[in-house]
C-alpha cells in the first residue's frame, strides 16, 4: 500500500505546472530624503518600507499608493550597538502601553501599509515580551511581519506564529557592501535561493549605487525567468505551501483486531 501511495504522489507532483520562480525586493529606509521619491521610477513590483515620522514618509506613501506599489512600515527597534534609531523607535525600556502606543501612532501615520519589518532591532527582536506586544498590534490590524533578521537570535517569527500573525523572513541583504561587484554576488545568492525553494526575499537600501544597479538588474531578472512580486505575495505563497504540505502528508491506518 505504501508503494502505491508514493507512486501516486510522485505522479501528482510531476503533473503540477512549473510556476515561475518569484523574488521580492524590499527597499528599506525610505522617507528621510527627497531623492527617495525617485525610487518610484524603478521598474517592476518592488516593495518599499517607510521609516515613520520622516520628512518624506507621507508624500512617498501617497505617491507609491497611486502607483500601486506595496508599502511596509519600517519600524525602528533597539539594536545591540545603541545606534541612533530615529523617531518612532521601540526600545527595551518601554512598557507594554508605551510600545503599543508608539507602534500604533506610527501605523496611524501610514495607513497604506500591508505589513511591518524591523529597522535594526538586533536587541529588541531577541526578547519575547516586546515581540508579544508588537504582534498583538499587528494581529488586530491584520498586518504581516517581515523579519529583517538583524540577529540570528531573533524571536520575532516564533512569537508571530504564537499570535497567528502571518510572517516571513529576509533571505539576502543585497547591498551591505554597495559596490557593483558585491551587488552582483548578492543577487546571484538571491537567485540560487529562489531556484532552490521557488521564492526568495531580498532587502536593499536607497543608495545611489543600489538604484543604478537595480535599474539594469530587474529587467534581466525577468528575462531569466524570475518574477518580481510584492512581498505580501510571498507571504501568501508561504502559507499556501504549508497548507498543501499538510494535505499530502501520508496517513496510514493501523489495523486492529476485532
Amino acid at each position: 500500500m505504501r508503494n502505491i501511495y508514493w507512486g501516486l504522489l510522485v505522479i501528482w507532483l510531476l503533473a503540477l505546472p512549473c510556476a515561475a520562480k518569484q523574488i521580492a525586493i524590499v527597499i528599506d529606509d525610505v522617507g528621510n530624503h527627497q531623492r527617495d521619491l525617485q525610487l518610484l521610477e524603478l521598474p517592476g513590483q518592488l516593495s518599499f518600507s517607510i521609516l515613520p515620522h520622516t520628512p518624506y514618509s507621507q508624500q512617498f506613501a501617497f505617491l507609491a499608493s497611486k502607483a500601486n506599489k506595496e508599502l511596509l512600515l519600517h519600524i525602528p527597534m533597539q539594536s545591540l550597538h545603541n545606534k541612533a534609531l530615529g523617531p518612532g523607535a521601540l526600545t527595551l525600556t518601554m512598557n507594554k502601553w508605551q510600545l503599543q502606543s508608539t507602534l500604533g501612532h506610527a501605523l496611524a501615520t501610514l495607513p497604506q501599509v500591508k505589513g511591518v519589518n524591523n529597522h535594526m532591532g538586533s536587541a529588541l527582536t531577541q526578547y519575547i515580551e516586546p515581540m508579544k506586544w508588537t504582534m498583538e498590534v499587528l494581529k488586530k490590524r491584520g498586518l504581516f511581519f517581515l523579519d529583517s533578521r538583524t540577529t540570528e537570535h531573533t524571536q520575532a517569527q516564533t512569537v508571530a506564529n504564537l499570535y497567528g500573525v502571518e510572517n516571513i523572513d529576509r533571505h539576502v541583504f543585497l547591498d551591505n557592501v554597495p559596490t557593483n561587484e558585491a551587488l552582483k554576488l548578492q543577487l546571484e545568492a538571491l537567485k540560487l535561493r529562489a531556484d532552490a525553494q521557488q521564492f526568495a526575499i531580498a532587502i536593499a537600501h536607497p543608495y545611489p549605487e543600489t538604484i543604478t544597479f537595480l535599474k539594469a538588474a530587474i529587467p534581466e531578472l525577468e528575462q531569466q525567468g524570475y518574477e518580481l512580486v510584492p512581498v505580501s505575495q510571498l507571504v501568501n505563497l508561504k502559507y499556501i505551501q504549508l497548507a498543501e504540505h499538510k494535505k499530502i502528508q501520508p496517513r496510514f491506518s493501523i489495523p486492529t483486531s476485532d
Side-chain angles (χ1 to χ4, degrees):
M1 286 295 294
R2 292 189 181 188
N3 288 338
I4 293 172
Y5 171 83
W6 288 113
L8 290 172
L9 177 59
V10 168
I11 292 169
W12 178 76
L13 289 171
L14 290 174
L16 288 175
C18 293
K21 293 163 284 191
Q22 296 182 325
I23 285 175
I25 300 176
V26 181
I27 309 293
D28 275 357
D29 296 354
V30 175
N32 273 318
H33 307 287
Q34 187 174 18
R35 64 176 180 267
D36 292 348
L37 301 176
Q38 297 172 14
L39 293 166
L40 296 171
E41 298 171 9
L42 285 168
Q45 284 296 321
L46 296 170
S47 302
F48 300 96
S49 197
I50 304 176
L51 289 164
H53 315 303
T54 47
Y56 294 93
S57 58
Q58 294 191 10
Q59 185 179 358
F60 187 95
F62 174 76
L63 293 173
S65 294
K66 286 184 67 175
N68 294 316
K69 302 294 185 181
E70 183 160 283
L71 300 177
L72 292 81
L73 171 67
H74 197 36
I75 191 71
M77 295 185 182
Q78 186 170 333
S79 77
L80 289 170
H81 308 292
N82 293 317
K83 293 181 179 178
L85 297 171
L90 310 182
T91 69
L92 289 168
T93 60
M94 290 178 167
N95 61 31
K96 179 177 180 178
W97 181 86
Q98 290 171 323
L99 186 143
Q100 292 189 335
S101 296
T102 302
L103 178 55
H105 181 43
L107 287 167
T109 67
L110 295 166
Q112 304 93 334
V113 303
K114 288 190 175 182
V116 172
N117 75 322
N118 50 299
H119 174 57
M120 296 191 266
S122 54
L124 195 82
T125 59
Q126 293 192 43
Y127 288 83
I128 296 289
E129 206 67 14
M131 287 297 98
K132 284 182 179 178
W133 303 338
T134 299
M135 298 309 162
E136 282 182 6
V137 174
L138 302 194
K139 179 64 176 177
K140 287 177 183 176
R141 294 173 180 257
L143 301 171
F144 67 83
F145 186 77
L146 167 64
D147 190 349
S148 302
R149 293 196 64 82
T150 54
T151 171
E152 62 182 7
H153 304 298
T154 176
Q155 300 297 316
Q157 288 187 276
T158 300
V159 177
N161 290 333
L162 289 173
Y163 279 80
V165 173
E166 292 190 346
N167 62 87
I168 204 162
D169 62 327
R170 179 271 314 162
H171 302 130
V172 173
F173 277 122
L174 272 186
D175 54 2
N176 274 349
V177 180
T179 66
N180 197 59
E181 286 305 310
L183 283 159
K184 284 181 180 178
L185 287 173
Q186 290 302 94
L187 185 63
E188 287 303 312
L190 184 68
K191 288 156 63 176
L192 285 173
R193 184 75 182 232
D195 292 341
Q197 66 178 37
Q198 295 300 305
F199 72 92
I201 298 172
I203 285 177
H205 301 86
Y207 305 141
E209 299 88 346
T210 302
I211 295 169
T212 299
F213 177 79
L214 288 176
K215 282 179 181 177
I218 290 170
E220 289 177 2
L221 277 176
E222 294 171 346
Q223 291 166 12
Q224 294 164 359
Y226 299 93
E227 182 185 4
L228 191 64
V229 299
V231 67
S232 65
Q233 191 165 319
L234 297 189
V235 176
N236 294 336
L237 177 62
K238 171 187 172 179
Y239 287 92
I240 290 169
Q241 287 181 340
L242 287 172
E244 290 297 325
H245 180 69
K246 288 180 181 178
K247 284 182 185 178
I248 63 173
Q249 288 297 308
R251 296 178 183 175
F252 303 110
S253 59
I254 300 174
T256 58
S257 55
D258 294 328

